[in-house]
Amino acid sequence: MDLDVAFRSVGEFGCCQRWLTGFLILLQIYIACQSMLIVLVGAVPAYHIDSEDVKIDKDDDFTKHVRFDANFTSIVSEWYLIKEEAYKVNLASSLYFGGLLIGNVVFGPLSDKLGRRPVYLTGLFLDIVFSYVTALAHNYEIFAMSRLFVGMMNGGMALVSFVLTQEYVGKSYWALTGSLTNLMFAVGIAVYALLGYYIRNWRTLAIVVNSPGIVFFLLSFLLPESPRWLYSQGYTSKAEDVLQYMARGNGREGLPIKLKDCGVKQSNGDSRHSVFDLVKYKLLLWRTLVLMYIWYVCSLVYYGLTLNAGDLKGNLYLNVALSGLVELPAFPLCLFFIERKWCGRGRATAGFLTFAGLACLFTMFLTDNNRFIINQTGLALLGKLSVSAAFNVVYIYTSELYPTVVRNAGLGVCAMACRFGGILAPFVPSMLSPKALEY
């Protein structure tokens, strides 16, 4: 039988698939905490300098003149990253996104060639290791380099886990699981803000948000390989075994499953398909170029608004939590529009991006003390909601536009373009004019 027919036989979204996808969806909380770590760990506590004439340098004399608020600690207060040294916080954030870029480029093709499960497990293990290096770093240089490696592992592992989530279920449920994955990432931002509110020491916070990764890693050994990947590589009998495992988990034990030959010889690690297939075929090339630009725009706007939530007026932790919670309405909106025949994936993406762009553009003409009902903050939140919706749709859309044999490679290349936006996002506030900063 055909693979899609086999999925319908065992249950496209039965108990077993709900457990498998639910586990990987919950993993997004851990991924979100790692991604947003710098927002609180790099926050600037209130401080004053005894004498403004003191030069900002690395000597001990300067540190004696700086007094930080004891409300919380961060890398800023520990290594005196203020004034001329303040750029190092944004640099560490950009290094993380640079790592994501490398991870997406490397892990995508690797998982298409070696399999989803081993690449995912390796990435998660190394992510945990380097995250502990971040928490225990004794100087800024080690901290910054560890963030680069955390980004590499986190980005690659997150990409593969997303593809696994999609490939465990029938195609009719891809929109649902994709939306729930991104929804849980937004929840993870709020959870991180809550942890930061109660844990004010940055090293302790970094250790606490990383420790659940150990539990996720140990439980991940229970995950089977993607039956879609196995089938695409010619491992028909192994794909049948995984489908039988799902059938038993769905209460359909003894269900006869015999997949038809897919016509592909077992590759033994030497796949005929690679990332170069994306440029070999004109349709895939054009599709990839358009998607890369869309991913870049989504990332620049999304992370530009998210990473700088700590710079907004008001309570630091509430602002970070709201930056995640404001995304929640985006996901039911996505599910509503993308499943409508008159809308679909393409029109939904275009509509959400247009609305996000207009909302962000109009913030230039408003101030927080204007007489209108909505202010800059409200428009920014609407922009965040819209770009989150667009990001969610394009994630789902991209995974559906590529065939199984190059799905991770396609997602990896698009995510690479996405990370260029993330690298630039921390430096967006530096583009503000002095007059704008007065508001």
Side-chain angles (χ1 to χ4, degrees):
M1 66 177 71
D2 184 75
L3 185 62
D4 290 324
V5 175
F7 262 102
R8 288 193 289 271
S9 299
V10 303
E12 289 187 293
F13 198 56
C15 294
C16 182
Q17 283 99 326
R18 288 198 292 270
W19 181 89
L20 294 172
T21 57
F23 173 80
L24 291 172
I25 288 170
L26 283 175
L27 179 67
Q28 290 297 315
I29 296 179
Y30 170 78
I31 294 172
C33 288
Q34 293 297 337
S35 298
M36 298 297 110
L37 187 73
I38 198 67
V39 177
L40 297 181
V41 166
V44 183
Y47 69 90
H48 70 274
I49 302 175
D50 294 340
S51 174
E52 292 296 334
D53 295 330
V54 178
K55 292 183 178 180
I56 307 299
D57 54 32
K58 284 295 184 179
D59 59 41
D60 293 333
D61 291 334
F62 164 68
T63 62
K64 295 177 182 177
H65 292 275
V66 181
R67 300 291 181 269
F68 284 100
D69 191 332
N71 188 36
F72 65 91
T73 68
S74 69
I75 61 172
V76 175
S77 61
E78 181 163 340
W79 296 314
Y80 296 90
L81 305 181
I82 57 175
K83 301 288 186 177
E84 285 82 357
E85 297 289 308
Y87 76 93
K88 290 186 176 180
V89 178
N90 291 333
L91 177 60
S93 183
S94 291
L95 283 173
Y96 172 81
F97 282 98
L100 291 182
L101 187 155
I102 298 171
N104 293 151
V105 173
V106 173
F107 277 61
L110 273 180
S111 65
D112 283 334
K113 184 176 183 180
L114 304 178
R116 316 307 196 206
R117 186 173 179 272
V119 175
Y120 158 75
L121 287 172
T122 302
L124 180 55
F125 173 75
L126 293 176
D127 187 3
I128 296 168
V129 172
F130 288 120
S131 294
Y132 277 119
V133 174
T134 294
L136 301 175
H138 67 274
N139 58 42
Y140 170 79
E141 288 72 22
I142 294 178
F143 175 88
M145 290 307 299
S146 69
R147 291 302 291 165
L148 172 67
F149 288 111
V150 168
M152 290 171 58
M153 302 306 145
N154 191 273
M157 175 268 296
L159 177 72
V160 179
S161 68
F162 177 80
V163 173
L164 266 177
T165 303
Q166 301 294 76
E167 294 184 347
Y168 279 150
V169 301
K171 290 183 178 180
S172 60
Y173 287 90
W174 281 8
L176 175 63
T177 54
S179 295
L180 288 175
T181 298
N182 292 312
L183 173 67
M184 198 55 61
F185 186 91
V187 172
I189 297 175
V191 170
Y192 176 58
L194 180 64
L195 290 172
Y197 178 78
Y198 288 104
I199 305 172
R200 300 300 180 93
N201 182 280
W202 79 266
R203 291 184 184 276
T204 305
L205 177 62
I207 291 173
V208 169
V209 299
N210 185 53
S211 295
I214 299 175
V215 178
F216 279 111
F217 175 71
L218 294 176
L219 291 177
S220 292
F221 282 97
L222 300 176
L223 298 176
E225 180 58 89
S226 163
R228 294 185 184 277
W229 180 84
L230 289 170
Y231 186 67
S232 70
Q233 298 297 309
Y235 298 105
T236 306
S237 61
K238 292 183 179 180
E240 292 171 350
D241 292 340
V242 175
L243 290 171
Q244 288 285 4
Y245 167 78
M246 291 181 175
R248 290 194 298 271
N250 294 336
R252 300 185 180 183
E253 189 170 358
L255 185 70
I257 299 175
K258 184 64 177 178
L259 296 173
K260 65 179 182 180
D261 188 5
C262 64
V264 178
K265 295 182 179 180
Q266 294 183 4
S267 59
N268 294 322
D270 297 321
S271 177
R272 295 178 301 169
H273 300 281
S274 69
V275 69
F276 296 107
D277 287 344
L278 303 180
V279 297
K280 184 187 301 183
Y281 303 100
K282 186 176 180 180
L283 176 64
L284 286 180
L285 174 61
W286 176 246
R287 185 176 294 174
T288 300
L289 291 175
V290 173
L291 287 171
M292 285 175 68
Y293 179 72
I294 295 174
W295 278 65
Y296 165 78
V297 171
C298 287
S299 177
L300 180 63
V301 178
Y302 178 88
Y303 287 108
L305 294 170
T306 303
L307 294 176
N308 298 296
D311 296 332
L312 298 176
K313 296 179 180 179
N315 185 279
L316 168 66
Y317 306 98
L318 180 61
N319 289 337
V320 175
L322 287 176
S323 72
L325 295 176
V326 74
E327 299 179 39
L328 300 187
F331 303 102
L333 282 174
C334 289
L335 289 176
F336 175 80
F337 284 109
I338 65 180
E339 295 299 338
R340 297 295 180 273
K341 292 183 179 179
W342 50 266
C343 186
R345 275 67 162 162
R347 291 179 180 176
T349 302
F352 284 129
L353 283 175
T354 301
F355 190 83
L358 291 174
C360 291
L361 282 174
F362 282 132
T363 59
M364 297 189 300
F365 306 104
L366 294 177
T367 61
D368 281 334
N369 57 356
N370 70 81
R371 297 180 181 179
F372 298 100
I373 297 176
I374 194 168
N375 56 18
Q376 281 185 332
T377 303
L379 278 175
L381 289 176
L382 285 175
K384 176 72 184 300
L385 186 153
S386 299
V387 77
S388 299
F391 223 154
N392 180 55
V393 177
V394 78
Y395 247 104
I396 299 167
Y397 199 22
T398 303
S399 65
E400 293 174 343
L401 286 174
Y402 288 107
T404 302
V405 290
V406 290
R407 181 170 295 126
N408 249 329
L411 274 170
V413 170
C414 292
M416 176 191 70
C418 164
R419 302 316 169 191
F420 280 111
I423 292 170
L424 296 175
F427 294 98
V428 169
S430 64
M431 300 172 65
L432 284 172
S433 65
K435 183 178 180 180
L437 290 171
E438 292 176 3
Y439 295 116

